[in-house]
Amino acid sequence: MKAIIVDDEKRARRILHTLIVEECSEIETIFEAENLLDGVTIIKKEQPDIVFLDIEMPNHSGLQILEFFKTEAINFQIIFTTAYGHYAIEAFKLSAVDYLLKPIDVAEMKVAIAKASTYLKENSIKEKLQNLERNFQQLALNKIALEVPKGIRFVSHEDILFFEADGVYTKVYLQNGKTELICKTLKHFTEQLSNKPLFYKPHRSFLINLKYMNEVTKKDGLQVIMSNNKSIPIARDRKDEFMDLINRVF
C-alpha cells in the first residue's frame, strides 16, 4: 500500500513517518506534504491508499479536502491526525471517520490502518466526510474553539465569563476560574459571537457574557461587576446603549 502524510508541522510528519516504517510493513511507500493543496496534488498524481490528514493547517483545513474532489471519485481512506479535545472526538465517532489523537499511539495507529485497509473496498469516505462536516458545524453552534499551546480546546459559550484584549492576544476567563491566553485578537471573538445575544462589548477591551453579570455600579464611572468580582468598564459612548440593553433583556 501507499500512504501520504499531510501536516504543516515537519516534526509531526517525521514522527508519523518513522512509526509507519517501523510498525506497518504493509505500507511500502510514504509521501509527505506540508499543506492541503500540495497534498491534493500528490494524491491525484500518486493515488495513495491511505491519507493521514492533519486538520488545523494554514490556509486550508484538512476538513476541506472534499472541495478538491467534487467531480472525482475518492478511492482512498482518510485517517485524521488531530490535537482536538474530547468534544471534537465525538464528531469523529458519530461520523465513523477514523482519527489519531496526537501524540500518536502506536497501537491505535495499527488499528486505524487495519480498518482503513478493510474500508478501501467500500468507497464510502465521501458520505462519512460530509457527515463529519455537518457534525463539526453542529458543534460550532454552541461551542467556541480556543487555540491553546497543546492543541485546540472546545469551550461551551455557557462556560465563558468574558474576553479581555491583551495586545494581539485575548484572555478568556472561564466559569471554572481558569484563564486561557489565546493568540487571537478580541476582534476575532467579537465577530465570531456577533450573532449570540448573550455576548456584549461594553468597552473596546472587553466582550462579556451578560449571563454572568452580578452588579452594575456607578463607582468610577459605569462598571459591571462579573461573577468572579472582576470590574468591567462601560465606555462613555456605550452607556446609553448598555442601559437600554439591560432594560430590554432583564
Side-chain angles (χ1 to χ4, degrees):
M1 289 196 299
K2 295 189 292 185
I4 180 173
I5 302 168
V6 185
D7 196 314
D8 62 304
E9 295 183 11
K10 185 176 181 179
R11 180 174 180 272
R13 296 198 306 272
R14 186 176 69 249
I15 291 173
L16 181 53
H17 190 128
T18 300
L19 290 177
I20 294 171
V21 169
E22 292 179 351
E23 303 290 342
C24 303
S25 58
E26 64 269 37
I27 296 180
E28 299 169 342
T29 306
I30 305 171
F31 303 98
E32 292 187 19
E34 63 180 3
N35 59 64
L36 185 60
L37 291 181
D38 289 348
V40 168
T41 299
I42 295 173
I43 290 169
K44 290 183 177 182
K45 179 183 177 181
E46 302 293 343
Q47 299 289 304
D49 302 289
I50 300 175
V51 175
F52 293 92
L53 184 59
D54 187 27
I55 293 180
E56 282 298 310
M57 294 182 287
N59 301 320
H60 293 90
S61 161
L63 294 173
Q64 293 177 276
I65 192 169
L66 275 184
E67 297 176 13
F68 300 93
F69 291 89
K70 290 181 178 179
T71 60
E72 299 157 276
I74 296 182
N75 51 9
F76 53 86
Q77 285 295 310
I78 294 175
I79 300 174
F80 284 104
T81 58
T82 176
Y84 276 123
H86 66 280
Y87 293 119
I89 296 308
E90 288 303 313
F92 286 110
K93 290 180 178 177
L94 288 171
S95 311
V97 174
D98 254 323
Y99 66 92
L100 292 172
L101 195 60
K102 297 178 180 178
I104 292 173
D105 178 83
V106 173
E108 292 177 355
M109 180 189 71
K110 287 183 175 181
V111 171
I113 291 174
K115 287 168 66 176
S117 302
T118 303
Y119 292 150
L120 275 172
K121 299 177 182 179
E122 293 185 6
N123 200 27
S124 60
I125 190 64
K126 266 194 177 180
E127 182 181 351
K128 290 181 179 179
L129 287 178
Q130 288 166 347
N131 288 337
L132 179 63
E133 189 173 6
R134 283 193 291 269
N135 285 327
F136 266 94
Q137 289 171 348
Q138 184 65 34
L139 186 69
L141 292 177
N142 56 13
K143 294 184 186 296
I144 193 167
L146 301 179
E147 294 185 25
V148 296
K150 293 184 178 180
I152 296 179
R153 180 179 177 187
F154 285 89
V155 178
S156 170
H157 298 158
E158 295 284 316
D159 293 334
I160 298 172
L161 301 184
F162 60 91
F163 301 84
E164 181 181 7
D166 186 6
V168 295
Y169 294 84
T170 300
K171 291 179 181 176
V172 184
Y173 292 79
L174 304 176
Q175 189 184 18
N176 62 9
K178 293 183 178 180
T179 304
E180 299 284 1
L181 183 64
I182 308 301
C183 188
K184 297 281 187 183
T185 62
L186 183 63
K187 181 181 178 182
H188 167 83
F189 293 108
T190 301
E191 292 175 349
Q192 192 171 358
L193 296 167
S194 61
N195 63 339
K196 305 296 180 183
L198 271 179
F199 286 91
Y200 177 74
K201 192 177 182 183
H203 187 277
R204 65 182 182 181
S205 296
F206 293 93
L207 177 66
I208 66 173
N209 188 335
L210 297 173
K211 177 180 176 180
Y212 293 109
M213 294 191 305
N214 273 1
E215 182 183 353
V216 176
T217 176
K218 295 182 178 180
K219 181 181 178 182
D220 299 323
L222 199 63
Q223 295 190 13
V224 173
I225 310 299
M226 302 300 290
S227 61
N228 64 348
N229 292 321
K230 172 80 172 181
S231 296
I232 308 294
I234 308 298
R236 290 182 180 180
D237 60 352
R238 301 278 176 90
K239 177 181 176 182
D240 292 340
E241 177 187 82
F242 177 73
M243 294 310 298
D244 180 59
L245 175 67
I246 296 300
N247 291 330
R248 284 188 288 107
V249 174
F250 294 92

